[in-house]
Amino acid sequence: AKHVGILALEVYFPNTFVSQEDLEVHDQVQPGKYTVGLGQRNMAFTGDQEDVVSMSLTAVHSLLEKYEIDPRDIGRLEVGTESALDRSKSIKTFLMSLFAERGNHDIEGVDSLNACYGGTAALFNAVNWVESRAWDGRLALVVAADIAMYAAGPARPSGGCGAIAMLVGPDAPLDLERGLCASHMEHAYDFYKPCGFYPMVDGKSSVACYLMALDKCYASLCEKFERCRSNFERQRRLARSSSSSSRGAPGDAPSGPPSLTLADVDYCVMHSPFVKMVRKGFARIFYQDHLRADIRRTARQARAEARAGAPGLLPCMRSSSSKPTQDPRPLVAGATAHITGPPAKTAADILVEEETGRSSAATLDAHPADPENFPPESYADRDLERAAVAASSDAFTSMVEPSLMAAAECGNMYAASVHAGLASLVEREGANLEGRRILMYSYGSGLAASLWSVIGRKVEGTFALSSVSSKTRIRDRLEARRKAEPTEFVATLELLEKQYRQADYAPKKAAEDLRGGTFYLSGVDTMYRRTYAYK
Ligand code: ACO
């Protein structure tokens, strides 16, 4: 099978939210702590009549209905979650009820677990299956769903919830660019759930781990890209040549340096525990580009000096004294940045100057580092972070912000987060994504992370990006939600904590709160068996 990727996406989030501004008042913290400090607007939350199974049922049912998919055409179903309700029975098996109705029991796949990474593991499994000799010609479904809740304190406003169902198959409008994927995995105790209702979390360490894993993935991805650049460029040209989009793509610019940079990418979608985290992550990639450009400049200068008979510098050594007088590329590389000619002072440079009183290059240069191996203290360096955030601000607006709608409004969807970011981007950009490269970053504590590329492709019919974009309807549903007071939010968390893993239980919250087309928990019997109903 060719061009295997995502054909369609369906996001589900509960109908109730709490405003982060209201939470600031309720929690008696300084104004702006959650809205500006974490970058969040609202947080979705469920009552006790919903759980991760009901949310997954809703997402799958709604996707099958919207795209008129016959359940018998599904041959694989994978679930990624960290909100499992049972230590043995998978969520996938609950979802089988939707397929059993049509006599389809021949569906491979079960659940994948590792914090927020499970959905990505599930997606990779599904794509690999369609590309493999085991594929039987049917489509795959991937579900990622989670409910993120924290004990009272600074982590609580970074909660949230949501689910996504993704249809995977060949000739996809969102084509996973094979070979352009890098992972970083290692043992860490930044966030984990050994027991109890709430997770154990070392917030600061989890932020540093997210950034460190991103650095490692990006360095590795750059290396892979460098090895196969001409291949990747040809693939992207092919995707673009079948595109009717008249907008010029960055690939139209003359070939860039022999490594991946943000100039090769049009959009970045990242796991979003809170929007500020994504802001920091993107700034980190931007900083890596800056360091690599500096290394390349130094190498070029060394070669030029060697040719002129002057003593050269080793290419891998960077030194501020070796700074060239002319940089062929401005600092900001982005979707719309066609980069040629001498250095121009960009809006981002001006921002950095205003913020720090120094030029952006000088500010970032004050923190020399090897982009393959950053010192741990660089993750806690506020000056460096502020400078990189300011310098990458324009690129962030064009490349990242379009994917943050669900994240800012629903909060952390854990396993569903990065994929709901892609759905947000598709809703916003539609056919504009044809011929564009989207960089995806998935991070799951503990830790497992991957950075991979998706290319938007022009396809005809139901799965055309314009058609998928018109069907996601995230914005409409966000606007139709019911706003709850913080007192109701806190009381609901207390109720969920009490009800956690109880037998013989009937939900206290009514199904009236739910939108039509939603599955909900109707009860838990004395044997802990859960039953669901459909509204
Ligand atoms: N106005 C504006 N900004 C403010 C205000 C205010 N009144 N008060 C604080 N801030 C800013 C801080 O300056 C800081 O900004 P910076 O990050 O740019 O420096 C930011 O708000 C956070 O404040 P802190 O005091 O540094 O941290 P806090 O104690 O609020 O905790 C944390 C934040 C660690 C993210 C916490 O919410 C948490 O533990 N969350 C769960 C873990 C998590 O999400 N980790 C991310 C990756 S792992 C995963 O996905 C689960």
Side-chain angles (χ1 to χ4, degrees), residues 502-517:
Q502 256 194 46
D504 197 13
Y505 182 80
K508 309 279 179 291
K509 298 272 183 179
E512 275 79 75
D513 260 2
L514 309 173
R515 285 185 292 268

Side-chain angles (χ1 to χ4, degrees), residues 30-33 36-38 116 150 154-155 158 191 201 203-204 206-207 210 271 273-274 276-277 280 382 385 412 414 443 445:
Q30 279 188 338
K33 181 154 173 65
V36 181
L38 299 180
C116 311
Y150 293 95
S158 66
F191 168 109
V201 56
K204 303 278 182 226
S206 71
V207 168
Y210 177 111
H271 167 56
F274 48 93
K276 176 71 94 58
M277 184 74 252
K280 290 171 194 253
R382 320 305 294 158
E385 189 174 280
N412 196 350
Y414 284 167
Y443 173 78
S445 292

Side-chain angles (χ1 to χ4, degrees), residues 150-265:
Y150 293 95
R156 179 160 280 182
S158 66
C161 75
I164 186 164
M166 295 174 273
L167 191 65
V168 169
D171 192 23
L174 297 163
D175 182 8
L176 267 71
E177 203 174 1
R178 296 316 258 167
L180 205 45
C181 174
S183 295
H184 179 81
M185 309 212 173
E186 68 176 75
H187 167 57
Y189 265 133
D190 58 326
F191 168 109
Y192 51 109
K193 294 177 174 170
C195 61
F197 181 67
Y198 292 118
M200 305 286 290
V201 56
D202 178 345
K204 303 278 182 226
S205 157
S206 71
V207 168
C209 285
Y210 177 111
L211 296 175
M212 177 276 297
L214 176 60
D215 275 343
K216 299 278 187 199
C217 288
Y218 191 60
S220 166
L221 198 74
C222 288
E223 211 183 293
K224 291 181 182 182
F225 187 81
E226 211 158 309
R227 270 190 258 134
C228 318
R229 181 174 186 112
S230 57
N231 226 356
F232 291 130
E233 283 188 339
R234 195 176 61 246
Q235 277 173 26
R236 190 151 171 249
R237 265 199 310 276
L238 283 174
R240 207 168 46 240
S241 64
S242 60
S243 157
S244 61
S245 165
S246 57
R247 223 174 114 195
D252 296 338
S255 276
S259 172
L260 183 77
T261 73
L262 285 175
D264 297 297
V265 173

Side-chain angles (χ1 to χ4, degrees), residues 48 149 197-198 490-503 505 508:
D48 62 347
M149 292 173 289
F197 181 67
Y198 292 118
V490 173
T492 304
L493 287 185
E494 284 165 5
L495 171 68
L496 292 174
E497 194 176 352
K498 237 196 267 162
Q499 163 262 9
Y500 181 61
R501 299 210 163 150
Q502 256 194 46
Y505 182 80
K508 309 279 179 291

